[in-house]
Amino acid sequence: MSSGTKSLIFIGDGMGGRPIAGLDSQTTVEAADTPAMDRIAREGACGLLDPIAPGRPAGSDTSHMAILGYQPEKHYRGRGPFEAKGVGIDVKPGDVAFRCNFATVEGKRVVDRRAGRIKSGTHELAEAIQKQVPKIEDIQIIFEPSVEHRAAMVLRGPGLSHEISEVDPHHPDVDYLESKPLEGAEDLAGANKTARILNEFVKRAHEVLEDHPLNQQRKDEGKPPANIVMPRGAGTAVDLEPFEQRYGLKGGMIVEVDLVRGVGEYLKMDVIHVDGATGGQDTDEIAIARAIVEAFETNDFVLANIKCPDLGGHDGDCQTKIAAIEKVDRALAYLLDELDWDSTTIMVTADHCTPCALMDHSGDAVPLAFFGYGTRPDDVERYGERPCAKGIMGRLRGMEIMDVLLNMGGRAEKFGA
Amino acid sequence: MSSGTKSLIFIGDGMGGRPIAGLDSQTTVEAADTPAMDRIAREGACGLLDPIAPGRPAGSDTSHMAILGYQPEKHYRGRGPFEAKGVGIDVKPGDVAFRCNFATVEGKRVVDRRAGRIKSGTHELAEAIQKQVPKIEDIQIIFEPSVEHRAAMVLRGPGLSHEISEVDPHHPDVDYLESKPLEGAEDLAGANKTARILNEFVKRAHEVLEDHPLNQQRKDEGKPPANIVMPRGAGTAVDLEPFEQRYGLKGGMIVEVDLVRGVGEYLKMDVIHVDGATGGQDTDEIAIARAIVEAFETNDFVLANIKCPDLGGHDGDCQTKIAAIEKVDRALAYLLDELDWDSTTIMVTADHCTPCALMDHSGDAVPLAFFGYGTRPDDVERYGERPCAKGIMGRLRGMEIMDVLLNMGGRAEKFGA
């Protein structure tokens, strides 16, 4: 057993894809100019990763859970609790947690699901909601904003259930929805109550927001008002064994989105904030890379995620996605220079594919490359879906990754004699 | 269904490895001169094998169990029972079995964990122990020597538990250990009793050995005396369905170490002794190969293991490991000449990696090649971790091997219509 080795899981969010005719039938990863990834593939051990299983599109939450070794089929309770934890709300047993968007409606019709990706003022709006709607019936409302249009909410009190439908219709130009108990809900009384409270919350928050001076100002400036809150992703408290307890390693996490940050908070990892990490195309990838190097001063293990490749995929904009992948590559170039590869192993992968043609996650396998300490380099020449498929690591699943990484680091325990 | 086909699992113990800078970044298997293995790969169907699962270092016992289709997660009870069975002690329900080393101590300090790999006399020493310490409290002691410094012991009587720590510290130049109940032992009273008996056994065996004339003679000759017995690997009786009952095949086993032999004894296989099979670098590999050919006169299936590649790995001596792998290759060359490949399928693999740089088992996948009847040759040109990774068999697990082999032999049953 070798100690003192370091492991880094480095994820380009949604970075995997499908071939695009206009890119000479390459994927965006293959088309991007990625000297650092290519070196990692060329001098490392490559393969493909199914975050959950072949053909199963993963969410960022379930994928990160699996890659960290926590079976999502067993432990996943919806995105709500991760979003809430990610913005700092504690989610207790019995709570129901939601991801929320500030959005723009005209009457019932959703005009903009993100209120024009509102940049500022949501803290003020959230404060007004929290002050004027602190409670509905016997249920406490805990509402916290995050960056841009994002927020999270927790309902706390007796007799709640997560088995309810969403308010967010997920598309513009349709009416927002009334929450209802899910068909076949096990706790129908609880679901009825929770849906009723949620609909009442949406109505009352709408009233608070419509009259808010900040929205009047936005209208005057020709911007879409953030005049409604649309909850989705109801979920209950998650019970996950802390990362350090599970692996005996101090684990750090550097990510840009609340959803994944929430996973790290649940695992009681060292969740590190990076100035300049915006989660957008303008993120400071070198600041993130620098933070990773610093994180290893106090951690044995780090998981990092850069969000921007996923955005271009969701927008169906392959040039933007390529630019984002090249941004990710610059962070990797920094790490190649700055980390000690005689004692560090990195795995470079994606948490799922977000093919531009689909504008959503797909269940295709993502490329995978291990580089540095304890790896067995193969003869793959560059990073990408097709080149990596020929590597020595074959096809792995998310749930196998921690074992593989710990083994490379000489930290795996022998089973047997 | 074709009958009359033969299957051979041929294992180079610990033969897998990692690239070594001084070997031009080849593994020992890749660097060794192995014309027989290379022919098997070139004319056969290659892949990689995870004996347990990706990244999980396997022991020889758990790996052989899995490769023979017996789930170690379900059936493994520690190495003790296999070691005991391997030297011919029956392990009954309620017994606790141990692997033991004859070792050399000065006071409490371990000077040599193997008493200078003592070559002869341990039968006499064991007899003295067995005669003078037949029983402690109400517990019967059954002690049997094996080759060199190796021995096994069984404690038999009421109220025992395997949940105790080891006496063998696994390193020289430290004190040997007092056995204690494991933290969280389910049967604390049993563990307390077993640890007490074990410590008393170690003390009394030490007295017997210190005064034994054979050790006086060793000291006079300047050899380290075998003056203590250090137990480890406590385990309880295993319940495994016999091989023939499970598969409807007569199965033979030709192996050099008690640990694996014990697996064969538990499976009621035809465990064959080979004169000249020493388990060391001096083993007679042609005698082993000849015994394999003979074993097929009465068996449909044979598992063979040659131990020596593992030794070089544990010693961190890659030249010795290469020489051992070339020895394994000579046995294969004999088999290529002597077996009827129109009706026989061979699988050549390792039970785990023992990388020279780690001097212990690792959880890296091992190379795998099937040759002969029922195989689908691919275009892999030579045997080794990296070449085999490109083969048609992909990445298999130990638990899948018997199905794959039986299928190649036309002996697999159709599931469905």
Side-chain angles (χ1 to χ4, degrees), chain B residues 4-34:
Chain B
T5 58
K6 310 274 189 189
S7 304
L8 170 59
I9 293 180
F10 188 99
I11 292 173
D13 203 292
M15 194 163 67
R18 290 182 177 177
I20 296 169
L23 298 176
D24 210 8
S25 290
Q26 296 180 97
T27 66
T28 47
V29 170
E30 290 165 3
D33 182 25
T34 53

Side-chain angles (χ1 to χ4, degrees), chain B residues 91-108:
Chain B
V91 183
K92 299 182 177 174
D95 290 356
V96 177
F98 301 85
R99 158 70 191 266
C100 299
N101 271 19
F102 282 101
T104 308
V105 290
E106 285 173 16
K108 291 231 150 211

Side-chain angles (χ1 to χ4, degrees), chain A residues 8-53:
Chain A
L8 171 57
I9 292 180
F10 187 100
I11 292 174
D13 202 291
M15 195 164 67
R18 291 180 179 177
I20 296 168
L23 296 177
D24 213 7
S25 289
Q26 296 178 95
T27 66
T28 48
V29 170
E30 289 165 4
D33 182 27
T34 54
M37 287 184 213
D38 291 344
R39 183 183 156 204
I40 286 167
R42 197 167 54 247
E43 300 180 20
C46 300
L48 290 181
L49 172 68
D50 294 296
I52 307 290

Side-chain angles (χ1 to χ4, degrees), chain A residues 158-161 163-164 181 185-196:
Chain A
L160 296 172
S161 164
E163 301 166 297
I164 58 169
E186 282 184 32
D187 174 10
L188 188 59
N192 265 316
K193 174 174 179 178
T194 312
R196 185 176 70 238

Side-chain angles (χ1 to χ4, degrees), chain B residues 167-310:
Chain B
V167 173
D168 186 338
H170 288 265
H171 297 282
D173 300 322
V174 294
D175 287 358
Y176 66 87
L177 304 169
E178 196 168 342
S179 179
K180 290 178 184 166
L182 292 182
E183 212 168 309
E186 281 185 33
D187 174 11
L188 188 58
N192 264 317
K193 174 174 178 176
T194 313
R196 183 176 72 237
I197 304 262
L198 194 68
N199 292 326
E200 178 67 16
F201 167 78
V202 171
K203 181 170 158 269
R204 289 175 59 184
H206 185 32
E207 290 162 6
V208 171
L209 294 171
E210 275 287 40
D211 297 338
H212 198 282
L214 194 137
N215 272 328
Q216 195 50 57
Q217 190 188 325
R218 282 182 70 82
K219 280 188 232 171
D220 293 347
E221 291 168 357
K223 291 177 183 165
N227 61 0
I228 198 163
V229 167
M230 300 197 303
R232 67 185 200 266
T236 56
V238 181
D239 186 20
L240 296 173
E241 185 182 17
F243 185 87
E244 187 172 352
Q245 190 175 313
R246 164 81 69 95
Y247 295 110
L249 296 175
K250 290 192 100 57
M253 180 181 269
I254 296 172
V255 300
E256 300 186 284
V257 293
D258 298 327
L259 181 64
V260 181
R261 185 178 297 120
V263 175
E265 294 286 358
Y266 262 107
L267 299 179
K268 301 195 193 307
M269 294 174 78
D270 177 19
V271 178
I272 296 160
H273 173 81
V274 178
D275 280 334
T278 63
Q281 303 291 347
D282 61 346
T283 199
D284 184 347
E285 71 275 11
I286 301 302
I288 292 172
R290 211 180 291 123
I292 292 168
V293 175
E294 280 166 25
F296 276 121
E297 290 171 13
T298 50
N299 288 286
D300 311 299
F301 170 94
V302 173
L303 182 143
N305 176 309
I306 296 186
K307 173 69 178 171
C308 51
D310 188 49

